[in-house]
Amino acid sequence: MSARLLASIAALLLLGAAPAPPRVTVPGGTVEGASAEDGALVFQGIPYAAPPLAQLRWAAPQPVRAWQGVRPAKVRAPACPQNDDGWNRTDAAHYSEDCLTLDIRTPGLTGKRPVMVWIHGGSNRAGSAGGMVASRITRKGVVLVAIQYRLGVLGFLAPRQAAVNGTAGNYGLMDQIAALRWVRANIARFGGDADQVTLFGESAGSQDVSLMLAAPDARDLFKRAILQSGTPGFGQPFRPLRDAFAIADQAERLAGGAGLAGLRAAPVKQLLEIDTKLSDPSLHTNGFLWLKTTIDGRVLPESPRRLLAKAPRKPVIIGTNRAEFGPKDGATDITETLQRVYGPRAAEAQRLYAFGTPGRDPRLGHPALEIESDWVFRCPAITLATQLARQGWPVWSYEFDLAPDGGLTSHAIEIPYVMDARPIGDGASLQDYWVNFALRGDPNGGALPRWPAFSADTRRYLAITPKGVEAAEKLRMEICALRNEI
């Protein structure tokens, strides 16, 4: 066989060979991702901090530890430790304390694209970044990042002996700040623009986005924010550090009374069991245990409300779903619920709700669902939007009222409309609004129905309903005027 023929065969083999997997050098070493069907490049499980094990439990995140060779980044990484609440069964079955990782989906490794950083929900005690980078939102010209952070007892407990300069707790928030610092330092290697970062998240992830707006250490790490069904306090007063210490004291007693050393030596399964037994007497349900924000003195040196009053102005989108979640119909005493939520104004609230009268909107759901959607989600979101607008922040507000089966909305139902570009009517999609916002700091653009900015006076918002997309104003003003929590 001639040399020329051999060369031709070799060239043909090279042309038919699959492209080499993408590799990027990051702090710690080199990671190898994979190509997606649409041509995007996907990297999963990239460490942004050292594993928070042993003495690093209940400590600030530390720098990434180097690894040898090329680290595969092609499969879903373990979630952070969490109990099985049903909806999170996959994450609860596949967790590791070595979980401070992030996922990236990018159209390419060159260029300078806006970056959208997703913070997952799950009551700050469950969930993961897993699966979010399956979204093809990157086809719209952005880089998508999804981060993980310590959860529950490992992420938000405040042991007294772990205190630094008298402060402790909010380690999950510290993780998020560490991830944002990693993004700022490294996202250019993935085709992203570190100066054009938009944070977005849902539920506890939305709460954490709002706390990143407030936290002094996070302020310079992103430019814009989208809050989907979550605010700094979910309508509850903030937790003082002394109360956070008291919850940690419970955990230490349940672990055998050996203090912080006992907690750090305990198996993770024991810590997860302890998590289910902790309580906060100020809460109506312990499902909100890690949603009650602690003013720790370090990440949050004072209340988020005061911090936001001093924070640099950023464009924000803030919204909720028409019906979020609440107890089952008939499971609670409505009169008692109104008294607990509205206190001395309970009678006024009962008059405004006017349960059982003709003309009530059925899409608000049963009375208990309507009340909880108001006081935990809708009213805090409106109060926060009003505060920020009064301070001169560019604010856009929305209410989402769509469901695939035509029924009531529910908590998190809008996420596929954002990540999978499900249509919302009038030729629009939430994904287009979100991407426009990430690209230009304004959700409007192209042929999308006009979304007016929110102001403290008109309180205009985008109503997304089965009838279409249209501007509306003064959502729930009377009932939300009875409370002033964010």
Side-chain angles (χ1 to χ4, degrees):
M1 189 177 292
S2 70
R4 179 176 293 179
L5 181 58
L6 287 171
S8 298
I9 293 172
L12 288 171
L13 290 173
L14 286 172
L15 285 172
R23 290 183 177 182
V24 179
T25 299
V26 296
T30 299
V31 292
E32 182 177 276
S35 297
E37 291 181 359
D38 65 346
L41 306 177
V42 179
F43 298 80
Q44 300 181 77
I46 303 175
Y48 65 81
L53 307 172
Q55 296 304 304
L56 294 186
R57 279 181 176 173
W58 301 288
Q62 298 300 303
V64 171
R65 293 175 181 168
W67 57 85
Q68 298 295 318
V70 176
R71 180 183 176 114
K74 300 180 180 181
V75 298
R76 182 170 177 153
C80 288
Q82 57 196 273
N83 286 300
D84 186 346
D85 292 331
W87 66 269
N88 63 322
R89 189 145 293 157
T90 297
D91 292 329
H94 182 48
Y95 68 69
S96 168
E97 282 194 81
D98 182 2
C99 64
L100 300 188
T101 62
L102 53 80
D103 300 343
I104 298 174
R105 184 185 185 100
T106 179
L109 301 181
T110 59
K112 200 172 184 181
R113 303 171 185 84
V115 182
M116 300 184 72
V117 178
W118 173 258
I119 303 181
H120 72 81
S123 299
N124 282 326
R125 69 193 315 159
S128 73
M132 296 311 295
V133 290
S135 170
R136 296 191 176 190
I137 194 171
T138 49
R139 291 184 296 180
K140 303 285 179 67
V142 298
V143 175
L144 176 63
V145 181
I147 67 176
Q148 302 197 145
Y149 53 97
R150 281 173 283 182
L151 301 166
V153 69
L154 288 161
F156 294 90
L157 195 73
R160 296 176 192 270
Q161 292 175 303
V164 176
N165 296 324
T167 72
N170 285 333
Y171 302 103
L173 298 182
M174 294 184 201
D175 294 342
Q176 293 170 20
I177 293 171
L180 292 177
R181 286 178 174 146
W182 189 99
V183 168
R184 183 161 188 83
N186 298 284
I187 202 63
R189 305 177 190 188
F190 296 86
D193 184 350
D195 293 323
Q196 296 288 336
V197 173
T198 297
L199 292 192
F200 69 133
E202 186 272 340
S203 191
S206 177
Q207 177 187 49
D208 296 344
V209 169
S210 74
L211 296 176
M212 292 299 102
L213 286 168
D217 287 348
R219 289 174 180 169
D220 296 333
L221 300 176
F222 63 102
K223 192 168 185 176
R224 307 176 183 106
I226 302 173
L227 285 65
Q228 300 171 213
S229 300
T231 55
F234 282 104
Q236 306 169 94
F238 302 114
R239 178 183 286 139
L241 187 56
R242 66 178 180 275
D243 291 353
F245 282 154
I247 294 170
D249 293 343
Q250 294 178 42
E252 291 178 7
R253 289 192 295 271
L254 290 167
L260 179 60
L263 288 174
R264 284 177 168 162
V268 68
K269 287 186 177 180
Q270 182 184 2
L271 295 174
L272 291 177
E273 183 179 353
I274 287 171
D275 199 339
T276 66
K277 299 176 181 177
L278 300 176
S279 65
D280 180 340
S282 72
L283 295 172
H284 74 290
T285 169
N286 278 329
F288 280 73
L289 184 66
W290 305 120
L291 292 176
K292 185 162 183 175
T293 297
T294 296
I295 305 172
D296 64 290
R298 182 177 181 181
V299 180
L300 301 173
E302 52 187 327
S303 84
R305 187 166 225 150
R306 292 179 180 176
L307 290 171
L308 286 167
K310 297 182 280 189
R313 294 188 292 269
K314 300 178 188 289
V316 295
I317 291 174
I318 303 173
T320 58
N321 298 337
R322 185 69 166 163
E324 292 278 1
F325 66 63
K328 293 181 179 179
D329 190 12
T332 59
D333 184 312
I334 296 302
T335 300
E336 185 279 329
T337 299
L338 289 173
Q339 184 63 47
R340 171 168 49 80
V341 173
Y342 294 100
R345 308 191 76 174
E348 189 176 355
Q350 190 161 24
R351 177 182 62 79
L352 290 172
Y353 278 116
F355 295 126
T357 59
R360 180 175 172 272
D361 185 355
R363 296 195 64 77
L364 291 165
H366 60 79
L369 175 57
E370 181 178 352
I371 293 170
E372 189 144 339
S373 294
D374 275 335
W375 79 270
V376 175
F377 297 99
R378 187 160 33 238
C379 294
I382 293 169
T383 302
L384 178 61
T386 302
Q387 174 185 336
L388 298 181
R390 282 178 176 155
Q391 294 170 196
W393 295 44
V395 178
W396 288 265
S397 178
Y398 72 89
E399 184 176 68
F400 189 83
D401 189 17
L402 281 181
D405 61 0
L408 297 182
T409 57
S410 57
H411 196 53
I413 203 168
E414 85 288 354
I415 293 177
Y417 290 84
V418 173
M419 305 308 287
D420 300 335
R422 289 182 183 173
I424 58 175
D426 299 323
S429 77
L430 281 189
Q431 186 176 101
D432 288 336
Y433 282 120
W434 269 220
V435 170
N436 283 345
F437 184 75
L439 293 174
R440 294 181 289 276
D442 185 326
N444 292 290
L448 291 173
R450 182 71 184 169
W451 186 347
F454 181 96
S455 74
D457 296 326
T458 63
R459 301 192 184 186
R460 302 185 76 189
Y461 67 98
L462 195 71
I464 303 159
T465 75
K467 297 179 181 178
V469 180
E470 63 180 1
E473 62 181 36
K474 299 181 179 179
L475 177 66
R476 307 288 280 179
M477 282 191 68
E478 289 184 301
I479 195 67
C480 290
L482 302 185
R483 292 181 57 86
N484 191 37
E485 303 287 354
I486 59 171

